[in-house]
Each structure stands twice: as C-alpha cells, then as structure tokens.
C-alpha cells in the first residue's frame, strides 16, 4: 500500500518508510521508501543488524535491548537517532513505530514504520500556518472544488453568510448571490480554473442570505494545485467592502455636488431673462443631478405684477382652489420620451393625466405635494408614478429674499439611486441660487421697463413738425440683455419759425441715466425758449450737468443758516456730497438752430459725433463742428459753426449706438453711415428705416437715437421784410406794409389785430430802442411778426397805474397774440408775436375781464 501511493501523495511529504526485522534480529525486508530515506539499497540492508547499521556506537547497547524486547512481543514508539552508513553519513532523528509480528512458522518478528522527524516537524509547521491563515483570517476564505461546490470555508465566511463553517460544504454560488451576480461569479470561477489566471478585486453586489440590506464584496480568486501540480479547485478571499463603498459613494457624491454648485455658479444667472435663467438651471441639473426636471414660475411674476397672488410669503398656505397660477417655463429630460408620463407635477397622476405643457398656465391641486411645497417654502417628496417609471421626485420651492418665485421638480427614474438627505440639500441650494437670479432678473426688468417708460415719455411724441423742415426720427432702446441708456433727441420750435434740433447721450445706463437724460432734456428746452445762441445753450447746459452729480442738484447744497448769515455745510451734508461724487453725469450733445428763411443752420457740439449732411447730387459728408468737451466736464467754451444748406438737403443727427460697437471701430461706422446716406433719395421715413436696416448696428449693445431732417426752407413769397427809418412816421408805414402783405396772403381776418400789434412794437422800438427798425412777417403754420432794433434793453411787461396814459402796449400784445417774446441778436434785440392762421371760424373777442386787466 505504501509503495502504490501516487507520486506527490502525502507520504512523500512526511517521508514514511517501512522495513521488517526477522526472528534473528536482522533486517528481513527493506522497502523502496526506506532505501530513499536511509540511502541504502535492499541488497545492502537485508541481513544486517539495524542497530549496528544505523545507530551510533554509544547507543547500540540500549538499541540491542530494545530490539530484544520487541522480539519478545512488546510494541514500542520513540525517537531514534540514526546515522547513514558509510563515512561521512548524515545524522538524523527518526520517529519509529515498531509492531511485533509472527512469521509463517510462528516465530516472533517485527514490522517497523519510520518517519523522518525533520519532515514531520516541517509539515506540522506548515499545517499550523495554513490553519492560522485559513481559520483565524479576518477575511472570508472559501475553497471551491473543481465542480465549483464549496469544499471548505472558514469561520469568518460562515459569520457573514450564516451557520457553522462545515454547514457550507457542498453549497454553490447560487446559494449566496442573486442570479445575475451568481452567473458572473460562476463564469469567473470557470475561467480561473481553466486558465490559472488569478482575478483580483472582483466586485459583487447582493444581500446576504436571509437579509435585505444591499452589500458589496471584493473577491480575489486563484487556482489551487496538489503536490503533483494537479488543479484541485479555486480558492477565494472575500472582503465585505460595503462601508468602503458607501464612503466612496458619499465622497463621490460630495465631489459631484461641489462640481454641480461650481457649475451652477458659472452657468446660472448669465442672462437677465427669467425663462433663460430657468433653462440654465435645468442645463446644470440634467443629467448631472437628476433624469427629469421642470420649472414653474408664478404667472404674476412673469407678467410684471408687483406681487404674485399668494406667493410672496413662505408661511402662506394653499387655498381651497390650490396654488396660484403658474406657468411652465422650462423642462428637460435625459431619458427619451420620458417627460410626458414622468412628472405630473401634482402628485400621483391618475389615468390619462399629463403634466402641463411647456408655456401653459396651470395650478397645482389643493393638498398636492407641489402646492404644499409652495405654501410652506419647504422641500416635499412627490410619490412616483403608477407606471413605475419615476422612482423619486423632489418638489423644491424657489425662494429668494423670503419670496417664493416658483417651483422646480427634480426626478430620478427607476434604476437611478433615490434622493437622499444630501441630495435634498443640494436641490434646495440649486433652486435658491436660481431663485435669486430670477428675482434679480425680475427687479432688473421692472427697472428697465420703468426707465424705458420714463425715457420714452421724455422723447417728442409722434412725428415732430417744424417750419421749413420735413422731420423723421427713430429711437431704439437696448434690449432686455442691456440696460436702458441716456440717448435722447428733441425738436424745439423757436421764435421766427426757427427750429432747434438736439441729439444727446448721457454716459451710463439704467434708471439714473434715464433720469439724468430727462433733466438735461428739460434744461435744453428751457434754455432754448430763452432763444440763446447754441454755444450759450451748451455752456448753460454744462453747468446743469455738473450740478446733477452734487447733493441737492447744485454745487452748494447748503449755503444760508437760519440766522441769515453764511454757514459751512453740516457734517451730514458733507458726507452726502462725498458719497455722491461718484455720480457725476457726463453727456455729449449736439445743438443746432435752423432758420428756414435763410436756410442756415448754426451748430454747437459738446463732445458728440459730427452731424452728417447730403446735398442733392453730392456724396454725404460730415459737418466739421469743433467737438468741445462733454457736458459736465466744464471749463472749456463751445464754438459755433454756421452752415448754409441747399434746398432738399438731408441733415442727419445720431448717437454712437448707430455707428459704433464692440466689433466695429468708430471710423468704420462713420464711413458706413456716409455710404448709406449717399444712396438714392427716398422718402424720409423710408430713409430712416433704410439706415437702421443697412448699418451693422449690433442692436441691443447700446441705445440708438436717429434724427433726420429734409431742408425745405420758406418760399420767398412767404416772407415780408422791410427796413424803416428811425422817425415817428415809420409807425404808420409799418401798419401799411403789414396790411398790404396780409391782404396779399388772403389773411384779411388778421389785418386789424396785426396792425394794432405792429403799431405797438414799432412805437416801443422808436421810444426805447436804437438804430434803424426792421419789420419782418413770416407765414407758415402761423403768422409771425418780428420787429428788430439795435437797442439792448429787453422789453418788460408791467402793470400800468390808473393815472398812466401809456405802458399798456405789451399787455395788449400778450392778450391779442397766441405768443410773444423777445430775444437778443448780435446787433440788438428782436421783439415778436405770433398769431394763429384763421380757420374760418369767427375770431374770439376779448372779455371784459381781459380788457379791465390792463387798467
């Protein structure tokens, strides 16, 4: 039996040998293993005394005694030192088990079993180490046989999967894992057994037998061989890595959340449009945070109401009719065809229910999670749909500055990880960031609309009319992505059928710029009615602009004390002045006065772009008006340029938004403007549209103001102009000239009134003026009479005393004329009055009260 053991058996490891001793005490049989153990062949060993052959000399006497006892029938087991025969033979210790035996003739003999003690101790050590590794390992250790059934498992493995270690013998992977994971592990075991290639960190997922908690294991597999190298199975070392997986998942989730918040900071709020901001939120959330998402904003917020009904206080509870009206402004889906059935928006959908369509106005039903979330200002969980598509939904109110502006719903489909507490916090943060941006966009839009309303209210209404001019104008505000600017234009009628044309631009944007524009426009109109020269108008306007940036609107906000003496400004006023220094307003402006009688236009420029003019048959050119400093800088005088314009010439005033943008230098824009204006002559309204549609204005970057005027001029027959000597008879002559001219113009109804008023003005010129007198009558939309003289003293209307014989002339002029006034000229002054042309109705007569008011 010993010799028939296959190579590589356990006997080879423990080095077991046998031999027998005959009745004479000599070796009678010698096995092959004995020959291998002692290095002596059977021919050399048979017939020899084993004590003399193998034992040292000092032990031989005791050895002979032991052999005698054995042959007397006594068993013996012990350690026996031995020496290999021959010189230099190796020494060793053998464990010998001697069993008495009988020969065929009944004689006593012995059978000896010999084990090399050194090999035995080595095997004991190996077994102890193997047992320590297998039995005392903190990891689950399992050995699968070649049929992939469990051959052996350690106690740690049994602790995880239940029962004692021996109870797992014969089990298969199907007893431990779900079908999919079991099939994957079986395929891996087969591959390891066939190829011998080890597998490390095989991830397996599933509940432990009898449990429901989802566990994660990491398994290392390698093939096990016998001593002869034959595969006997696959060993597996399994480690429960559930906690590590959870920690890694939480760390990955934290990194993902931080990345999402960082992305949200960069992508949400880049636009001041409400709907765009809502879409930016979903671009961040889908698919990085959820599979489906929708955004609903209060309808009142979108329509510009100051407060949406029932939305501005988080403590608000939904009414019996449900939530206030909302509009679905955005939705997104990472799953094809999922949105129509996935997010109903009001709780578990009923059969046939569909969510609100994009752009539709709707309400969330009373008591639904979404209505509760809107009313409470807290995140609510929405149950999944009955079809089993949506696994988890969060209804998150969008709260900004204690104001609920809408609701965002985040949903995850089946197969995705459900929302946790960390996800709820992230959803709240994403919604809050978007809500602040949406509220800012709402506030900006409100300010933008107010500024636009203010700006448009300050512009000339309708199509302005002027004597000798055909006028067309356009104002294009910046779009909602930019702020309202301070561009403006104006057409102001001046005495003598003259017209002031104004175009200006306040630097800056927003409501403040629009307000500053309104103040400057009002100041321009006031200064224009004083009939100052263009350079004087701009100089006075410069003072006004500098006053806009100081407290109280002036250079000195406080000057007089309560006692009537001068005082220093208070500390509060000083701080207010210092705080407002940054609000100094600068503006550019071009101011032109056109006289239709002479077709001359006088320009003054305060840092504005030069006007353009197109003479008939000529290319467009820019009028060389010296560009003074912008309004608000101060310290520099303004120059005037007078230009005579041809009949049908086209004059164009504009702001920089027409010719300058980020992508187009100013010089290129001016060249493009000249090229457009040089084209064929067309109707003025069409010309305005042609300029705006042809030029690359990049509209939306800046406001655009465009004022175009076709020069017509008053015909010669509409002007009466005479010079009178400085003598009393000139009064009568003036009446005769006025009567003749009015009769020639078929204005007989105005003859009497005109004669009376002309007589008063010429008389005053003779009495208080100097030099020769000039009388001029102008007929256009009204009748204007002007009396010129070289005196510098301006007429002043006063109330005459009861005893005065005169002093009532200007009162009479004021009562009988539609308007009157005086203005300075380079060589004196001009006093004028204006009468409305008759419309066929009888002229209104002065009342008794009006007549008595002169006395």
């Amino acid at each position: 039996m010993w010799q028939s053991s296959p190579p590589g058996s356990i006997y080879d490891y423990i080095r077991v040998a046998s031999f027998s001793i005959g009745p004479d005490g000599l070796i009678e049989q010698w096995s092959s293993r004995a020959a291998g153990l002692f290095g002596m062949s059977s021919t050399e060993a048979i017939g020899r005394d084993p004590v003399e052959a193998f034992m040292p000399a000092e032990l031989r006497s005791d050895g002979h005694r032991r052999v005698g006892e054995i042959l007397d029938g006594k068993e013996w087991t012990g350690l026996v030192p031995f020496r290999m025969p021959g010189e230099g033979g190796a020494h060793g210790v053998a464990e010998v088990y001697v069993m008495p035996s009988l020969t065929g003739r009944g004689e006593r003999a012995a059978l000896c079993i010999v084990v090399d003690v050194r090999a035995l101790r080595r095997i004991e050590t190996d077994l102890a180490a193997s047992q320590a590794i297998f039995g005392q390992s903190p990891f689950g250790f399992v050995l699968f046989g070649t049929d992939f059934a469990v051959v052996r498992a350690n106690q740690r493995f049994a602790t995880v999967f239940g029962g004692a270690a021996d109870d797992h013998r014969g089990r298969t992977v199907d007893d431990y894992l779900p079908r999919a994971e079991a099939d994957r592990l079986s395929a891996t075991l087969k591959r390891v057994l066939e190829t011998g290639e080890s597998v490390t960190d095989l991830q397996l997922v599933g509940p432990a037998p009898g449990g429901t908690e989802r566990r994660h294991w990491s398994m290392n597999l390698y093939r096990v061989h016998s001593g002869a190298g034959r595969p006997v199975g696959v060993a597996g070392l399994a480690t429960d890595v559930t906690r590590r997986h959870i920690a890694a998942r939480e760390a990955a989730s934290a990194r993902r959340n931080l990345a999402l918040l960082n992305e949200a900071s960069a992508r949400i709020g880049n636009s001041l449009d409400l709907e765009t901001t809502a879409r930016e939120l979903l671009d961040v959330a889908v698919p990085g945070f959820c599979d489906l998402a929708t955004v609903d904003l209060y309808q009142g917020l979108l329509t510009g109401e100051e407060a949406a009904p029932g939305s501005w206080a988080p403590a608000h509870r939904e009414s019996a009719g449900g939530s206030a009206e909302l509009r679905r402004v955005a939705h997104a889906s990472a799953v094809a065809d999922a949105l129509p059935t996935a997010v109903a928006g009001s709780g578990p959908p009923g059969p046939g229910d569909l969510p609100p369509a994009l752009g539709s106005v709707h309400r969330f039903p009373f008591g639904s999670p979404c209505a509760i979330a809107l009313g409470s200002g807290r995140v609510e969980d929405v149950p999944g749909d009955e079809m089993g598509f949506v696994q988890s939904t969060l209804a998150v109110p969008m709260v900004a500055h204690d104001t609920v502006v809408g609701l965002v719903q985040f949903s995850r489909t089946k197969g995705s990880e459900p929302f946790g507490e960390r996800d709820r916090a992230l959803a709240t943060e994403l919604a809050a960031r978007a809500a602040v941006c949406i509220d800012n966009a709402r506030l900006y839009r409100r300010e933008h609309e107010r500024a636009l309303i203010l700006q448009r209210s300050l512009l000339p209404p309708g199509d302005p009319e002027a004597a000798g001019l055909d006028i067309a104008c356009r104002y294009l505000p910046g779009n909602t992505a930019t702020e309202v600017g301070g561009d403006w234009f104006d057409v102001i009628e001046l005495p003598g059928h003259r017209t002031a044309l104004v175009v200006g631009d306040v630097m800056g944007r927003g409501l403040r710029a629009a307000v500053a524009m309104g103040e400057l426009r009002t100041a321009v109109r006031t200064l224009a009615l004083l009939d100052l020269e263009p350079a004087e108008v701009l100089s006075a306007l410069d003072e006004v602009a500098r006053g806009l940036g100081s407290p109280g609107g002036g250079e000195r906000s406080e000057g007089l004390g309560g006692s009537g003496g001068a005082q220093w400004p208070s500390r509060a006023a000083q701080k207010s002045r210092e705080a407002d220094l940054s609000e100094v307003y600068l503006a550019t402006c071009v101011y032109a006065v056109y006289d239709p009688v002479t077709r001359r236009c006088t320009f003054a420029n305060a840092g504005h772009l030069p006007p353009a003019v197109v003479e008939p048959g000529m290319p467009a050119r820019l009028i060389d008006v010296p560009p003074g400093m912008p309004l608000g800088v101060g310290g520099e005088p303004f120059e005037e340029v007078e230009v005579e314009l041809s009949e049908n010439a086209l004059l164009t005033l504009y702001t920089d938004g027409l010719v300058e943008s980020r992508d187009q230098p100013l010089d290129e824009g001016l060249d493009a403007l000249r090229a457009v204006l040089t084209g064929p002559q067309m109707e003025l309204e069409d010309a305005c549209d042609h300029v705006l549609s042809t030029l690359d204005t990049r509209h939306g970057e800046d406001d655009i103001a465009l004022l175009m005027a076709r020069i017509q001029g008053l015909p010669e027959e509409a002007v009466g102009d005479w010079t009178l000597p400085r003598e009393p008879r000139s009064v009568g002559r003036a009446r005769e000239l006025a009567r003749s001219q009015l009769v020639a113009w078929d204005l007989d109804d105005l003859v009497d009134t005109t004669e009376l008023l002309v007589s008063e003005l010429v008389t005053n010129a003779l009495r208080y003026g100097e030099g020769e007198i000039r009388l001029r009558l102008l007929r256009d939309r009204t009748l204007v009479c002007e009396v010129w003289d070289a005196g510098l003293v301006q007429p002043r209307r006063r109330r005459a005393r009861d005893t005065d014989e005169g002093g009532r002339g200007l009162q009479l002029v004021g009562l009988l004329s539609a308007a009157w006034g005086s203005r300075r000229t380079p060589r004196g002054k001009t006093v004028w009055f204006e009468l409305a042309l008759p419309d066929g109705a009888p002229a209104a007569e002065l009342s008794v009260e009006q007549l008595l008011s002169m006395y």
Side-chain angles (χ1 to χ4, degrees):
M1 176 177 180
W2 298 104
Q3 279 68 22
S4 64
S5 300
S9 68
I10 187 63
Y11 307 110
D12 292 331
Y13 286 102
I14 62 176
R15 301 188 70 181
V16 176
S18 65
F19 64 91
S20 63
I21 301 175
D24 55 359
L26 302 179
I27 298 174
E28 187 177 67
Q29 292 181 346
W30 190 257
S31 67
S32 297
R33 290 186 180 275
L37 177 61
F38 295 105
M40 181 182 296
S41 64
S42 59
T43 56
E44 295 174 317
I46 294 176
R48 298 188 62 177
D49 185 342
V51 175
E52 296 294 332
F54 302 108
M55 296 186 68
E58 64 272 13
L59 299 177
R60 289 175 183 171
S61 60
D62 185 62
H64 286 298
R65 182 175 60 82
R66 294 286 185 187
V67 171
E69 292 176 354
I70 293 170
L71 293 177
D72 288 339
K74 185 178 180 180
E75 289 187 3
W76 180 83
T77 301
L79 297 178
V80 178
F82 70 89
R83 178 181 58 82
M84 302 295 291
E87 294 295 332
H91 293 264
V93 177
E95 183 174 274
V96 181
Y97 177 42
V98 182
M99 297 174 289
S101 63
L102 295 175
T103 65
R105 295 188 297 270
E107 296 176 317
R108 295 181 182 274
L111 176 63
C112 299
I113 306 298
V114 182
V115 178
D116 188 345
V117 172
R118 292 173 300 175
L120 188 62
R121 296 294 179 265
R122 185 171 59 250
I123 291 174
E124 289 177 348
T125 302
D126 291 345
L127 288 176
S130 175
Q131 181 61 29
I133 295 174
F134 187 82
Q136 301 173 22
S137 171
F139 307 108
F141 194 93
V142 61
L143 179 63
F144 295 96
T146 55
D147 58 352
F148 306 126
V150 175
V151 175
R152 186 178 180 188
N154 68 351
Q155 188 57 43
R156 178 60 182 170
F157 185 87
T159 301
V160 174
F161 292 100
D166 292 339
D167 296 338
H168 293 272
R169 295 181 186 274
R171 292 185 180 179
T172 64
V173 294
D174 293 311
D175 297 319
Y176 302 104
L177 296 171
R179 172 58 63 86
E181 293 291 89
D183 292 343
R184 191 161 65 90
L185 178 56
S186 296
T188 305
L189 289 172
K190 182 178 180 181
R191 185 173 70 252
V192 171
L193 185 63
E194 291 176 351
T195 63
E197 296 179 358
S198 301
V199 173
T200 59
D201 197 23
L202 175 65
Q203 296 293 318
L204 300 172
V205 181
T212 58
E213 182 182 0
R214 186 182 178 93
R215 310 293 294 176
H216 294 261
W217 293 281
S218 172
M219 199 162 192
N220 298 328
L221 300 173
Y222 57 94
R223 189 169 67 181
V224 179
H225 304 85
S226 67
R230 176 174 52 85
V232 296
V234 177
L237 185 66
T239 306
D240 190 338
V241 294
T242 303
R243 291 187 178 182
R244 187 176 71 186
H245 182 82
I246 293 174
R249 184 177 60 192
E250 290 181 352
S253 177
R255 290 193 297 269
R256 181 200 64 187
N257 292 352
L258 289 175
L260 277 174
L261 290 176
N262 183 60
E263 184 180 7
S265 299
R267 297 181 61 180
I268 300 176
N270 293 323
S271 169
L272 289 173
D273 180 73
L274 301 178
E275 290 83 353
T276 302
T277 302
R279 288 193 295 270
E280 289 171 346
L281 168 62
L282 299 194
D283 290 341
V284 172
V286 179
F289 177 66
C290 61
D291 301 316
L292 311 168
T294 62
V295 175
D296 299 287
L297 298 180
Y298 277 109
Q299 178 70 358
L301 179 109
L302 296 168
T303 55
E305 296 179 12
E306 287 296 322
S311 66
W312 303 121
H316 167 75
R317 300 296 177 183
E318 71 273 18
S319 62
S323 67
E325 287 187 342
L326 298 103
R327 184 192 305 172
R328 181 143 296 179
V329 296
H331 65 201
S333 171
V335 184
D337 301 327
L339 194 62
T341 60
V343 182
S346 58
D353 285 352
L354 289 177
L358 184 64
S360 64
V361 178
H362 64 96
R363 295 176 184 267
F364 289 117
F366 172 78
S368 65
C370 291
I372 295 174
L374 287 170
S376 65
R378 296 189 299 271
V379 181
E380 293 289 333
D381 293 311
V382 180
D385 61 285
E386 295 180 355
M387 300 299 293
F389 185 81
V390 172
Q391 175 177 243
S392 179
T393 298
L394 296 178
V396 186
M398 305 177 73
V399 183
H401 311 301
D402 295 330
T403 298
V404 180
V405 299
L407 184 80
V408 58
Q409 295 181 73
F410 301 107
S411 298
R412 289 179 179 174
T413 58
K414 295 294 185 181
S416 298
E417 187 175 351
F419 290 113
E421 286 303 317
R422 191 189 299 272
D423 295 320
R424 292 170 67 92
L426 177 61
T428 302
E429 179 65 21
L430 289 175
R433 294 195 180 196
V436 170
C437 295
I438 287 174
D439 194 51
N440 290 341
R442 176 185 66 85
L443 295 175
Y444 168 80
R445 185 175 66 179
R446 184 178 64 184
E447 180 178 351
H448 185 275
E449 290 174 351
R450 290 177 177 177
L452 190 58
I453 292 172
L454 173 63
Q455 192 174 40
R456 287 178 172 172
S457 68
L458 296 174
L459 295 174
D463 295 327
E465 295 182 357
L469 291 176
D470 185 12
I471 297 177
C473 51
R474 296 288 187 275
Y475 171 72
L476 300 179
N479 60 26
T480 55
T482 61
E483 296 186 42
V484 172
D487 292 15
W488 92 92
F489 65 89
D490 208 347
V491 179
I492 307 170
E493 293 187 53
L494 299 178
H497 286 314
R498 294 172 304 131
T499 303
L501 303 176
V502 189
V503 168
D505 183 3
V506 176
M507 298 181 187
R509 297 183 181 278
L511 189 58
R512 291 182 178 272
V515 171
M517 178 272 288
E519 295 187 29
L520 290 177
R521 178 179 178 271
T522 302
V524 169
R525 295 189 70 89
T526 302
L527 295 170
L529 293 178
L530 295 177
D531 214 352
L532 303 176
E533 296 297 323
E536 294 177 325
V537 171
L538 292 186
S539 295
L541 197 61
D542 178 62
E543 295 290 334
V544 174
R546 281 190 288 168
L548 292 179
S550 61
E555 297 262 346
R556 297 181 297 273
S557 60
E558 294 183 18
L560 298 178
S563 61
Q567 292 183 345
W568 292 103
S570 66
R571 179 177 295 272
Q574 182 70 22
K575 289 184 177 179
S576 176
R577 180 183 294 108
E578 293 174 355
D580 289 342
L581 286 178
S582 61
E583 298 180 4
V584 175
Y585 291 97
L586 299 179
T588 62
C589 179
V590 61
Y591 184 89
V593 175
Y594 171 69
D595 188 343
V597 179
T598 61
R599 291 201 311 277
R600 286 183 172 273
C601 193
T602 304
F603 297 92
N605 189 354
H608 203 78
L609 297 175
V613 65
V614 184
E615 304 282 355
M618 300 291 291
R621 64 185 175 88
L622 300 178
I623 301 176
D624 187 13
V625 182
M629 299 299 291
L631 302 176
V633 175
E636 294 292 334
F638 298 97
E639 300 183 41
E640 293 181 357
V641 172
E642 188 176 69
V643 178
E644 184 174 350
L645 302 174
S646 304
E647 189 76 13
N648 290 323
L650 180 62
L651 178 65
T652 303
L653 306 179
Y654 51 92
T655 56
D656 57 356
L658 183 68
V659 294
E660 187 178 22
S661 68
R662 296 188 184 96
D663 302 326
Q664 178 175 261
L666 179 60
D667 291 341
E668 294 182 8
L670 293 175
D671 292 341
L673 175 62
R674 287 196 296 267
V676 172
L677 293 176
T678 304
Q681 182 172 323
M682 60 183 68
E683 293 293 330
L684 202 55
E685 293 292 336
D686 296 336
C688 272
D689 295 335
H690 176 67
V691 169
L692 293 176
S693 61
T694 303
L695 293 180
D696 187 12
T697 61
R698 298 289 197 279
H699 181 53
E701 291 187 5
D702 196 4
D703 292 8
I704 296 176
L706 176 64
L707 178 62
M708 303 182 75
R710 183 85 68 189
I711 305 300
Q712 301 296 337
L714 287 180
E716 293 183 2
E717 59 272 15
V719 179
D721 196 348
W722 307 275
T723 302
L724 302 173
R726 191 172 186 79
E727 55 187 27
R729 64 178 182 176
S730 293
V731 177
R733 179 59 179 163
R735 287 197 298 265
E736 293 175 2
L737 293 173
R739 182 188 307 111
S740 300
Q741 187 64 67
L742 292 181
V743 171
W745 286 341
D746 295 327
L747 297 177
D748 301 68
D749 293 343
L750 299 180
V751 169
D752 294 338
T753 303
T754 303
E755 279 190 86
L756 175 60
L757 299 185
V758 165
S759 176
E760 291 292 338
L761 295 188
V762 173
T763 299
N764 284 345
L766 287 171
R767 183 176 299 175
Y768 305 108
E770 298 178 8
E772 64 180 4
I773 300 170
R774 181 181 176 189
L775 173 66
R776 188 168 74 167
L777 294 178
L778 305 176
R779 179 189 177 183
D780 191 68
R781 290 173 297 142
T782 61
L783 175 67
V784 174
C785 175
E786 298 175 328
V787 176
W788 306 37
D789 69 80
L792 297 178
V793 179
Q794 296 291 321
R796 182 172 61 88
R797 184 176 177 179
R798 65 182 179 85
R799 180 176 293 276
R801 294 190 296 267
D802 295 343
T803 58
D804 291 345
E805 295 182 359
R808 299 176 178 86
L810 292 182
Q811 287 183 301
L812 190 62
V813 173
L815 288 173
L816 296 179
S817 64
W820 78 279
S822 66
R823 68 178 184 274
R824 291 181 300 168
T825 65
R827 290 178 296 278
K829 68 176 180 295
T830 299
V831 184
W832 57 272
F833 67 84
E834 183 177 350
L835 296 175
L837 298 182
D839 55 2
E845 296 183 359
L846 295 178
S847 64
V848 175
E849 290 77 7
Q850 290 175 321
L851 292 173
L852 290 177
S853 67
M854 294 186 295
Y855 297 94

